[in-house]
Amino acid sequence: MPRNSRPPVTGKHRVARRTKIAMGAIGLAIAVGALAVAVTAGRTGEASADPADPSFFIDINKVPAGNNVNAALKKKGAQGSFTVNCGTNADGAHQNPDNFIAQPGIKNGAQHLHDYVGNLTTNADSSLKSLLAGGTTCKNGDKSAYFWPVIRIDRGDKEAAQQKNQKAQQQQKGKTGDVQQDKSAQDAKDAQDQRNSQGQGGGRSGKSAQQQGDQNQNQDGQQQRRQRNQDQNNQQQGQNQQQDQNQQQDQNNQQDKQNQNKNDQNNQNQNNANQNQNQGQQQEELGGIQGANKEVGDNDGTIIEPESATLKFIGGGAQDVVAMPLGLKILYGDAKQSTNGPKNARPSWTCTGFEDRLTDLYPICPAGSKVERIHNFPNCWDGKNTDSKDHRSHIVFANQQGKCPQGFKNVPQLQVTLVYDVPQDVQQNGEYKVDAFAQEKHNPRSDHDDFANVMSKQIMGRLVNCINSGKACAE
């Protein structure tokens, strides 16, 4: 597949996974010096490679046919469609780890890489105004933003992990006993030193018990006299100090009043500075794109671009649809489904020729069939808002009859279909995965998609007319 020929983008806050593995042996040699800690920590020498779990893969032939709700809805209601040709981002020219819908204004906030088609300016700071001013990859001039996480192939993860484990085991071998033996010898030496010290101390005193008692009594009398003198001095000093403190307090009260406003202002300035610093540190900690493979967060491997990306608007089971408002934002799926729960996660995966079934696992396709992602977006709009606090409440899915909840209106349903030519051995070995947040561990259930409507009224008008009239339109 064609790759990005531009100079690789580097980041100073993250070391690429391959570099981490290469540096592992050096770091391990240092760590062995403190092996007593590693012995109790467990997982000593374990590699940090990040492949998808083998349980995330399934033979598409084992997925029940007829479970694609989207396919069933296509047979209901208005039968028209409107396809927008916006390309595939085949050269990776427009990719970043931002999401201006879910995490506006936060650079690298997604912590995984997105492919973009449509609007050319989409990034963390995008707004309706900036998108309207941007260019587009869509042939009909549609400036809408379409973006989804990339897929990567990583044949080297398992090999790198095995090599790192072998090096760790070789350097660790025999070290645990040596550390314990060294500690035992040191304990014995410390015990001997203590005995010698006690032996030297016994017999130093040449005084009898009576002499010692007389001396102690004289010392007690002297101590009592000194204490009485000290008490008298302390009492006089206390009186003097109290007078000084009263005078000083009056001065301080006046000074405090003068300084209060200044202190309040300084505190406000410091709070603002700390807030700005924390925001900057947050962006640095999230990390940016690293290396020729554009690795970001816990996502590594070679990006494989879709060989086709079909953006089609359909009726979604509705008898007729109304126009989407300008600026409408829609999310598909849930990038944080392990945290948020399964409510918004959707089965997205299948193989070409098997579109009658969808799975929430990575499909293993038969020869002649290709990996496919199908994303059918929510299509019932509340008629008022272009976004909501959770980015979902303003637009929801129609039911299985294509009807919307009371007060909601059917809008055109966006269906994004992505086809990938993933080699057969990569599928069989479980060596492809979707970019994701670290906590998702490349779970295919975290697959998602994002859309912001920036179509002109003219394009949206043609789109609605094609769907409601039953025409199959393409621009």
Side-chain angles (χ1 to χ4, degrees), residues 83-308:
T83 303
V84 184
N85 185 353
C86 299
T88 63
N89 196 38
D91 60 356
H94 191 179
Q95 293 170 330
N96 62 50
D98 300 347
N99 190 324
F100 78 97
I101 298 177
Q103 294 176 301
I106 301 179
K107 291 291 184 184
N108 311 316
Q111 301 176 50
H112 54 265
L113 202 65
H114 287 128
D115 261 332
Y116 290 87
V117 297
N119 202 288
L120 293 170
T121 66
T122 315
N123 60 27
D125 298 319
S126 290
S127 63
L128 179 57
K129 181 179 179 180
S130 70
L131 294 172
L132 284 169
T136 182
T137 65
C138 301
K139 289 187 175 181
N140 69 346
D142 174 14
K143 294 186 177 184
S144 298
Y146 306 83
F147 54 105
W148 50 82
V150 301
I151 286 180
R152 298 180 189 264
I153 293 176
D154 201 341
R155 299 175 184 269
D157 265 344
K158 294 179 181 178
E159 181 180 354
Q162 184 178 5
Q163 290 176 354
K164 186 173 180 181
N165 279 329
Q166 289 175 349
K167 289 181 180 179
Q169 292 169 3
Q170 290 171 0
Q171 297 202 29
Q172 181 183 343
K173 186 177 181 181
K175 295 297 182 181
T176 302
D178 294 343
V179 172
Q180 293 173 342
Q181 184 176 0
D182 291 344
K183 187 176 187 302
S184 298
Q186 184 64 41
D187 291 343
K189 184 177 182 301
D190 292 344
Q192 184 61 44
D193 291 343
Q194 184 177 6
R195 287 193 297 273
N196 292 340
S197 175
Q198 292 173 348
Q200 293 174 0
R204 271 203 289 262
S205 174
K207 297 180 181 180
S208 68
Q210 181 62 42
Q211 290 173 329
Q212 185 66 42
D214 293 343
Q215 181 178 354
N216 291 341
Q217 184 175 3
N218 291 335
Q219 290 176 351
D220 290 343
Q222 294 173 359
Q223 180 65 29
Q224 290 175 359
R225 288 192 295 273
R226 286 196 297 270
Q227 184 63 44
R228 286 195 298 271
N229 292 336
Q230 183 65 40
D231 291 342
Q232 293 174 356
N233 292 335
N234 289 342
Q235 182 177 5
Q236 183 62 40
Q237 289 178 359
Q239 294 173 353
N240 294 338
Q241 289 176 355
Q242 184 62 44
Q243 293 175 355
D244 293 341
Q245 288 175 356
N246 291 338
Q247 295 175 356
Q248 186 63 38
Q249 185 64 41
D250 292 339
Q251 297 176 358
N252 289 343
N253 289 339
Q254 183 64 29
Q255 186 65 36
D256 287 344
K257 291 179 181 179
Q258 296 174 357
N259 291 337
Q260 185 63 42
N261 292 335
K262 182 177 180 180
N263 288 338
D264 290 344
Q265 183 62 44
N266 289 339
N267 289 337
Q268 183 62 43
N269 292 339
Q270 185 63 45
N271 289 337
N272 292 338
N274 290 339
Q275 184 177 6
N276 292 335
Q277 182 179 5
N278 290 337
Q279 291 176 349
Q281 289 175 346
Q282 181 188 29
Q283 292 185 11
E284 290 180 356
E285 289 171 359
L286 292 177
I289 296 173
Q290 175 78 27
N293 283 342
K294 296 186 178 180
E295 296 177 348
V296 60
D298 284 347
N299 300 284
D300 62 351
T302 303
I303 297 168
I304 177 172
E305 299 291 355
E307 69 172 22
S308 67

